[in-house]
Amino acid sequence: MEITGTIKEVFATQTISEKFKKREFVLTTDGSTPYPNHLLIQVTNAKCDLLNSYSSGDEVTVSINLRGRLYENPTKGTQYFNSIEAWAIKGVSQFTKPAPNVQAENHNFVGSNDNQDLPF
């Protein structure tokens, strides 16, 4: 799944254990509406470096996976946890625009009105 938005904030990398680290960022979607969404997204382990070239205000498209986990808490019973995990991030260029509408010009092709012979 892909989602496009503006990076609101990038947090420092957190080392959870020797084998696991994560880095979180907030992506704002629907920013032009009165009720924008602010999504907390994480990258893990080697993917933490994906955020090094992005900062607040950058418009990006993020490829994500939704993760859900179940935890049997002995005192509180069953609990559910969700996370949004990014596996690719790419910048959205401000200068991207559609290709111009190119109209064919008369280049003396067969059927043109100037009665020239073919070159063979």
Side-chain angles (χ1 to χ4, degrees):
M1 173 186 295
E2 286 189 341
I3 189 162
T4 299
T6 303
I7 293 178
K8 180 178 175 94
E9 191 169 354
V10 178
F11 300 103
T13 300
Q14 301 171 8
T15 302
I16 307 301
S17 71
E18 272 185 41
K19 297 180 181 181
F20 184 73
K21 63 181 180 175
K22 73 176 183 175
R23 191 170 184 188
E24 297 176 320
F25 66 102
V26 177
L27 186 73
T28 301
T29 63
D30 303 322
S32 62
T33 68
Y35 306 105
N37 290 304
H38 303 286
L39 305 173
L40 181 65
I41 302 173
Q42 72 179 18
V43 291
T44 57
N45 294 327
K47 302 277 186 201
C48 290
D49 293 337
L50 289 175
L51 289 169
N52 290 344
S53 56
Y54 298 104
S55 59
S56 297
D58 290 344
E59 188 174 357
V60 295
T61 297
V62 181
S63 298
I64 60 169
N65 291 326
L66 299 175
R67 304 274 186 217
R69 288 172 302 288
L70 169 106
Y71 173 65
E72 293 293 340
N73 187 323
T75 58
K76 295 182 181 180
T78 303
Q79 293 180 300
Y80 298 94
F81 298 93
N82 297 318
S83 63
I84 305 171
E85 188 166 333
W87 51 272
I89 303 171
K90 61 182 176 181
V92 177
S93 174
Q94 304 174 23
F95 303 105
T96 303
K97 57 183 173 183
N101 185 8
V102 178
Q103 296 180 356
E105 296 178 12
N106 183 352
H107 290 287
N108 296 329
F109 294 118
V110 175
S112 65
N113 294 333
D114 58 356
N115 296 324
Q116 288 185 349
D117 288 338
L118 294 176
F120 50 88

